């Protein structure tokens, strides 16, 4: 790619040269995804179910250079992504480029395959053909809704390939780090992640987004997660990107019979942040438990789209999300649950509570529930409000200043999504980051 070529977003994504791999099926797939994006373009508010509250007009007018030729040598402080209690194998990507010097993935435990996508394509690309020939694992292509997924499928040259063999239990957590580093131009970069756990396997995965510099970036990340029968995955996502970053993510989750996945998400950084989470419980007895908090401040815009589809017998999903907005920030949360025909005995629960700390802050929440099966337990609810005046009065009557009382109540409100993290050290670290995000 030519790092100096900068044109408005829509045009730059179309005019930038497609990466070439020398692999016929992959290059053809990239051309097809580019053509699909050219035909549909960026989504607008008319795609009401998915983009009503997140306008892309400002982003579409930006100019981004395609790729970062100097990413392999950019100075990055490893302390920026050090996390307590996370001391296992690690892959690090800087502006979408794998950095072996910052990674620690040499002495891997038995049953774990962990390598950058670029290396996997060089070594043996054929096993990746099915995954990379389509834009994403879960969900059908929506009108305008998958534009960034198509951009990613056309442009991503690196990312993660992670596989856990059947019945392998990986003790140490695996860390994936995506760094948006300061560069000479406003960049667009992309990464594709493929994660698969075999039958009865277990893994703890920590995904960490960090950034530096004041220049705007556009980053897209698409991930496929497949859990086979009886597999267990605990996935922690810490998003603390640089303040000018536009971060668009799509995660597709597919859980087979008796598979279990726990997902904890903390959204703190970025300018425009969008995470589209789509899960399919396709096997009997599959369980998905999601916990998340988003805390936009300043002029941040954070949008979380959670869609869970129960497709098999006796499946379970619980979702607890908290939002806190201050200054002139805006948060968006859409939680959609579908219990498909034949998914009898499913149990689905979704709860989203939100706090507004400033008159100019806004949070839009949209819970949805569709049931097409019998003997189902399902509930969903959402609230948007302010701190409870009685609780504030109680704390102030005990001599606690107003600002400190507000901070204590807000922190307790958000910590509810972190309480069941198994790692105490990581839980306390994330709680400290959460408290530091609160307005003074």
């Amino acid at each position: 790619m030519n790092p100096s070529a900068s044109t408005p977003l829509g045009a730059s994504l179309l005019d930038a040269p497609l990466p070439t791999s020398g692999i016929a099926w992959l290059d053809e797939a990239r051309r097809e995804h580019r053509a699909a994006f050219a035909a549909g373009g960026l989504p607008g508010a008319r795609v009401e179910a998915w983009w009503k509250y997140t306008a892309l007009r400002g982003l579409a007018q930006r100019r981004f250079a395609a790729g970062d030729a100097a990413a392999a040598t950019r100075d990055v402080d490893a302390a920026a992504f050090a996390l307590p209690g996370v001391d296992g194998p690690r892959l690090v990507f800087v502006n979408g480029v794998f950095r072996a010097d910052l990674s620690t993935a040499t002495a891997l435990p038995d049953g774990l395959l962990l390598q950058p996508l670029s290396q996997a394509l060089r070594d043996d690309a054929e096993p990746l053909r099915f995954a990379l020939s389509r834009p994403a694992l879960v969900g059908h292509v929506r009108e305008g809704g998958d534009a960034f997924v198509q951009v990613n499928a056309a442009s991503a040259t690196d990312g993660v390939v992670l596989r856990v063999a059947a019945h392998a239990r990986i003790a140490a957590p695996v860390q994936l780090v995506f760094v948006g580093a300061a560069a000479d131009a406003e960049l667009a970069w992309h990464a594709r992640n493929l994660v698969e756990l075999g039958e009865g396997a277990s893994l703890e995965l920590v995904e960490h987004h960090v950034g530096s510099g004041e220049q705007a970036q556009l980053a897209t990340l698409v991930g496929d997660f497949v859990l086979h029968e009886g597999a267990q995955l605990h996935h922690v996502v810490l998003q603390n990107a640089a303040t000018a970053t536009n971060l668009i993510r799509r995660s597709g989750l597919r859980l087979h019979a008796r598979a279990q996945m726990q997902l904890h998400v903390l959204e703190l950084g970025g300018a425009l942040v969008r995470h589209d989470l789509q899960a399919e419980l396709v096997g009997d007895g599959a369980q998905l438990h999601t916990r998340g908090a988003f805390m936009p401040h300043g002029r941040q815009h954070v949008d979380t789209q959670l869609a869970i589809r129960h497709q098999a017998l006796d499946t379970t999903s619980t979702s607890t999300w908290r939002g806190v907005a201050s200054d002139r920030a805006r948060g968006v949360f859409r939680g959609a649950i579908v219990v498909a025909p034949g998914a009898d005995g499913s149990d689905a629960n979704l709860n989203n509570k939100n706090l507004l700390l400033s008159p100019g802050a806004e949070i839009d929440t949209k819970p949805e529930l569709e049931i097409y099966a019998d003997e189902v337990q399902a509930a969903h609810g959402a609230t948007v409000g302010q701190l409870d005046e009685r609780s504030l009065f109680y704390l102030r009557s005990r001599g606690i200043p107003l600002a400190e009382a507000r901070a204590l109540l807000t922190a307790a409100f958000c910590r509810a999504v972190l309480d069941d993290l198994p790692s105490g050290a990581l839980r306390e670290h994330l709680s400290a980051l959460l408290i530091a995000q609160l307005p003074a």
Side-chain angles (χ1 to χ4, degrees):
M1 293 184 181
N2 180 6
S4 64
S6 297
T7 52
L9 175 65
S12 66
L13 295 176
L14 291 172
D15 294 342
L18 280 173
T20 56
S21 64
I23 304 170
W25 60 261
L26 179 57
D27 292 339
E28 177 61 24
R30 286 171 174 166
R31 288 190 291 269
E32 291 176 357
H33 296 313
R34 170 68 66 84
F37 173 70
L42 292 175
R46 286 181 297 178
V47 189
E48 182 171 341
W50 299 92
W51 293 93
K52 178 179 179 180
Y53 301 109
T54 299
L56 298 174
R57 292 186 300 272
L59 181 63
Q61 295 170 3
R62 301 300 296 266
R63 296 175 176 268
F64 293 98
D68 184 7
T73 57
R74 292 200 181 280
D75 186 28
V76 175
D77 183 7
F81 49 79
L83 294 175
V86 181
D87 53 2
R90 179 178 67 213
L91 292 187
V92 179
F93 299 83
V94 176
N95 294 345
V97 177
F98 174 63
R99 287 285 294 268
D101 58 315
L102 299 172
S103 303
T104 56
T106 51
L108 298 177
D110 293 340
L112 175 63
L113 170 68
L114 178 65
Q115 60 184 162
L117 176 62
S118 54
Q119 178 184 333
L121 288 172
R122 289 193 302 267
D123 293 347
D124 185 8
E126 194 59 30
L128 304 175
R129 182 170 185 168
F130 180 68
L132 297 182
S133 295
R134 56 203 170 132
L137 172 68
V138 174
H140 56 82
V141 176
R142 308 182 300 270
E143 180 188 354
D146 285 327
F148 290 102
V149 178
Q150 294 161 351
V151 168
N152 182 279
S155 305
T157 59
D158 221 332
V160 176
V161 176
L162 191 162
R163 292 194 178 95
V164 182
H167 306 293
R169 298 187 174 273
I170 310 303
V174 173
Q175 185 181 13
L176 308 178
V177 182
F178 300 92
V179 181
D184 300 328
E186 296 186 348
L187 301 174
W189 55 270
H190 316 274
R192 181 73 183 271
N193 300 331
L194 304 172
V195 178
E196 184 176 5
L197 274 65
E199 180 180 349
S202 65
L203 174 72
E204 181 178 352
L205 180 65
V206 178
E207 179 181 332
H208 194 182
H209 300 269
V210 297
S212 61
E214 299 300 323
Q215 287 180 320
Q217 292 189 353
L218 170 66
T220 71
L221 291 97
V222 173
D224 291 351
F225 297 80
V226 179
L227 277 65
H228 291 283
E229 183 175 348
Q232 298 182 20
L233 173 63
H234 182 206
H235 188 196
V236 178
V237 180
L238 170 58
Q239 187 278 114
N240 202 6
T243 55
T245 298
N246 301 280
L247 180 60
I248 313 294
R249 290 168 289 163
R250 167 78 172 272
S251 300
L253 320 175
R254 186 185 294 271
L255 279 65
H256 292 269
R258 294 181 298 283
Q260 298 182 25
M261 181 172 179
Q262 285 186 312
L263 174 65
H264 287 82
V265 180
L266 189 56
E267 302 275 9
L268 300 178
L272 169 63
V273 174
R274 165 92 171 196
H275 193 184
D276 189 348
L277 274 158
Q278 295 198 37
E280 291 183 347
L281 310 183
V282 299
D284 294 350
Q287 297 185 27
L288 172 65
H289 306 283
T290 72
R291 309 283 185 267
F294 51 95
M295 300 187 64
H297 66 284
R299 298 299 298 269
Q300 284 182 291
H301 185 109
V302 179
D303 181 349
T304 298
Q305 302 281 320
L306 175 64
I308 301 173
R309 186 176 180 88
H310 293 251
Q311 295 186 200
L313 297 173
D314 302 320
T315 53
T316 302
S317 70
T318 63
S319 301
T320 303
W321 290 74
R322 299 286 187 265
V324 178
S326 58
D327 304 319
R328 297 184 64 186
R330 186 174 189 180
V332 178
F333 180 84
R334 175 178 179 264
I337 297 175
V338 175
V339 181
D344 299 343
S346 294
D347 188 348
N349 189 289
L350 184 146
N351 181 277
N352 172 228
K353 295 181 179 180
N354 304 282
L355 283 178
L356 300 178
L357 301 184
S358 304
E362 180 179 347
I363 293 180
D364 300 289
T365 180
K366 187 181 180 185
E368 301 175 10
L369 180 59
E370 299 179 39
I371 300 175
Y372 303 98
D374 298 324
E375 300 180 5
V376 170
Q377 297 184 57
H380 70 300
T383 61
V384 180
Q386 299 175 334
L387 290 172
D388 181 47
E389 292 295 334
R390 291 172 298 179
S391 298
L392 279 174
F393 176 79
Y394 175 83
L395 292 177
R396 295 193 70 189
S397 69
R398 297 306 189 265
I400 299 175
L402 176 60
E404 185 176 346
R406 288 171 61 87
L408 285 171
L409 291 175
T410 306
F413 175 80
C414 293
R415 280 179 61 109
V417 304
L418 302 176
D419 285 343
D420 58 347
L421 270 172
S423 170
L426 184 58
R427 181 172 62 249
E428 292 306 314
H429 180 75
L430 297 184
S431 297
L433 292 177
L434 184 150
I435 293 172
Q437 186 88 338
L438 296 176

